[in-house]
C-alpha cells in the first residue's frame, strides 16, 4: 500500500496476502492458522472538499497551508480499513490502516486483544491512547463524528487524526447497578518524543514572529519507537448513569525529551449523549508543555493550551424520503497560549451543517464555519463537504 496504489488494489493485495498466508500455512504445516479464524474486513471511505481562507489549516494561527488553505480543493478519497479476526470467544487480532488522502498509510491499530470478562480486556500493540475521546467522538465511524473538520481540540491541541501509540492497554466495563455502569481505560505506552526528528523537540516549541504559540505539539511528538526510559500511564474513567449518556475525564503525564527534563501533561473532560435522533458531544481539554526558555524568549518554563467544544445533531425524516436528515451545529473556543495576556491566537468559531443519508451506508456532510478572533482578523472562514461510504 503506497501513495500511487488505488484502494481497490490495496484491498486486493491485503486479501491476497491473507489468502496466500493461509494456504501457505496449510501447505507447509505451520503450527498457526486455522479456518475458523477467517478475517472480517470493515471499510470506511471518505472523499472531501474544502474551501477555507488561507489561515485555516496552517502550522500557526496566522499561516496557511498550500495544500488545503486559501483555495478550493478536492481531497483524494481516503480509506479506513479494519481487519478483524476472532480467534476464539476471548481472543481476537485486529489491524486497522488509514489511507490518508492518497498520500500515505497510517497504522491506527495493530493489536492482539484478550477479553475473558466484560470488566477486563487486555490489548498489546498499537492503539489509541485513552486521552480525551477521539476514539469515540471523532474517529470514524463514530456516531459523534458530526462534522468533517475536527474541532480545535483535536486538530490543534491533539491533532484531528487522533493519537496512537504502542504499549499495553487495559479496559473494561463494570455494572454498578442495572442502569449505572463504570468504564475504565488504562494504558502504558512509549509516550511522546522526538526519536524520528533531526531537531530536539524542546527546541521546536516556541512562537512565530507574530507571537503565536506553536499549536501542533504531536505533529512532531508522535513516534513509533521511543527516545527515553519514561513509559507514561494514561487513565480514563467514565460513568454511564443512563442509556446513551456518558461523562468522564482522563489524565496523562509524560516526559518527551532524551534526558527526561521536559514533559507534558493532559487533562480532559467529556460528555457524550447518543440516541436514535439526538447526538451530543461536549469536551474540554488542556495541555501543559515544558519549554526551553533560552529557545523561547516570549515564553516561561511552561506553556498551556486549552480548547472546548459542544456539537449536536438531530435526525429528522428518518426513513421518509431519505434514510435520515440531521441538521448539526458546533460551537468551540481555543486559547493556544494561556500565559499570553494579549490573547494572541485566542479564537472561537461556530459551524452550521447538515448530514444527509439518502440510503443506509451512504452519508453526505456539508458545513460552513465562521471564526471570530481576538486581535487581527484571520482569513479562515469556509465550507467543507464530505461523502462517506461504510461497509
Amino acid at each position: 500500500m503506497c501513495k500511487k496504489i488505488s484502494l481497490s488494489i490495496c484491498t486486493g493485495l491485503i486479501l491476497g496476502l491473507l489468502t496466500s498466508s493461509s494456504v501457505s500455512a496449510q501447505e507447509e504445516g505451520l503450527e498457526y492458522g486455522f479456518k475458523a479464524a477467517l478475517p472480517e474486513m470493515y471499510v470506511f471511505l471518505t472523499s472531501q472538499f474544502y474551501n477555507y481562507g488561507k489561515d485555516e489549516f496552517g502550522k500557526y494561527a496566522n499561516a496557511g497551508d498550500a495544500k488545503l488553505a486559501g483555495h478550493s480543493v478536492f481531497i483524494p478519497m481516503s480509506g479506513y480499513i479494519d481487519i478483524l479476526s476472532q480467534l476464539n470467544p476471548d481472543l481476537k487480532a485486529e489491524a486497522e490502516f488509514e489511507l490518508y488522502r492518497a498520500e500515505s498509510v497510517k497504522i491506527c491499530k495493530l493489536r492482539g486483544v484478550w477479553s475473558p470478562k466484560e470488566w477486563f480486556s487486555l490489548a498489546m500493540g498499537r492503539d489509541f491512547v485513552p486521552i480525551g475521546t477521539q476514539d469515540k467522538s471523532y474517529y470514524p465511524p463514530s456516531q459523534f463524528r458530526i462534522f468533517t473538520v475536527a474541532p480545535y481540540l483535536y486538530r490543534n491541541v491533539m491533532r484531528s487524526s487522533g493519537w496512537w501509540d504502542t504499549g499495553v492497554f487495559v479496559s473494561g466495563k463494570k455494572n454498578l447497578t442495572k442502569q449505572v455502569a463504570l468504564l475504565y481505560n488504562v494504558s502504558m505506552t512509549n509516550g511522546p518524543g522526538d526519536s524520528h526528528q533531526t531537531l530536539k523537540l524542546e527546541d521546536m516549541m516556541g512562537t512565530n514572529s507574530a507571537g503565536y504559540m506553536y499549536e501542533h505539539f504531536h505533529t512532531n511528538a508522535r513516534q513509533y519507537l521511543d527516545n527515553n526510559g519514561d513509559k507514561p500511564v494514561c487513565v480514563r474513567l467514565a460513568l454511564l448513569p443512563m442509556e446513551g449518556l456518558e461523562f468522564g475525564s482522563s489524565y496523562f503525564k509524560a516526559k518527551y525529551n532524551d534526558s527526561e527534563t521536559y514533559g507534558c501533561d493532559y487533562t480532559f473532560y467529556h460528555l457524550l449523549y447518543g440516541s436514535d435522533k439526538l447526538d451530543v458531544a461536549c469536551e474540554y481539554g488542556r495541555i501543559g508543555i515544558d519549554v526551553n526558555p533560552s529557545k523561547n524568549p516570549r515564553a516561561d518554563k511552561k506553556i498551556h493550551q486549552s480548547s472546548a467544544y459542544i456539537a449536536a445533531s438531530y435526525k429528522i425524516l428518518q426513513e421518509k424520503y431519505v434514510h435520515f436528515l440531521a441538521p448539526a451545529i458546533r460551537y468551540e473556543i481555543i486559547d493556544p497560549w494561556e500565559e499570553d495576556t494579549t490573547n494572541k491566537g485566542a479564537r472561537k468559531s461556530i459551524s452550521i451543517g447538515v448530514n444527509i443519508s439518502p440510503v443506509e451506508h451512504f452519508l453526505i456532510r456539508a458545513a460552513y464555519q465562521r471564526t471570530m478572533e481576538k486581535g487581527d482578523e484571520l482569513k479562515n472562514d469556509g465550507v467543507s463537504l464530505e461523502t462517506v461510504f461504510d461497509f
Side-chain angles (χ1 to χ4, degrees), residues 217-234:
F217 176 65
H218 279 287
T219 299
N220 297 305
R222 291 166 64 182
Q223 58 183 358
Y224 285 94
L225 301 176
D226 206 356
N227 61 328
N228 57 39
D230 181 52
K231 295 296 178 285
V233 174
C234 180

Side-chain angles (χ1 to χ4, degrees), residues 47-178:
S47 185
Q48 300 170 354
F49 170 78
Y50 291 146
N51 189 6
Y52 281 87
K54 66 181 182 64
D55 300 329
E56 178 59 20
F57 294 99
K59 293 180 179 179
Y60 294 96
N62 64 337
D65 186 324
K67 292 183 179 180
L68 295 177
H71 55 276
S72 61
V73 56
F74 286 98
I75 310 300
M77 180 74 79
S78 296
Y80 301 84
I81 300 177
D82 185 273
I83 304 169
L84 175 68
S85 183
Q86 196 74 40
L87 307 182
N88 62 48
D90 300 334
L91 194 66
K92 68 179 181 180
E94 184 178 20
E96 182 172 308
F97 307 92
E98 178 184 0
L99 306 179
Y100 186 67
R101 294 172 180 170
E103 295 178 344
S104 61
V105 176
K106 297 180 180 180
I107 301 175
C108 310
K109 295 180 182 180
L110 199 61
R111 61 178 189 160
V113 184
W114 177 50
S115 305
K117 302 290 183 180
E118 185 181 27
W119 56 267
F120 179 80
S121 178
L122 173 66
M124 299 186 69
R126 185 168 173 83
D127 203 346
F128 280 103
V129 176
I131 185 70
T133 62
Q134 75 274 24
D135 55 328
K136 298 182 178 184
S137 62
Y138 182 74
Y139 204 76
S142 169
Q143 70 183 98
F144 300 106
R145 182 183 161 96
I146 298 172
F147 286 90
T148 299
V149 177
Y152 291 139
L153 187 62
Y154 291 130
R155 62 185 167 98
N156 291 113
V157 176
M158 194 190 293
R159 299 202 64 203
S160 62
S161 56
W163 176 23
W164 313 286
D165 204 351
T166 304
V168 179
F169 305 82
V170 179
S171 61
K173 178 181 179 181
K174 179 65 175 178
N175 293 318
L176 305 179
T177 68
K178 289 184 179 180

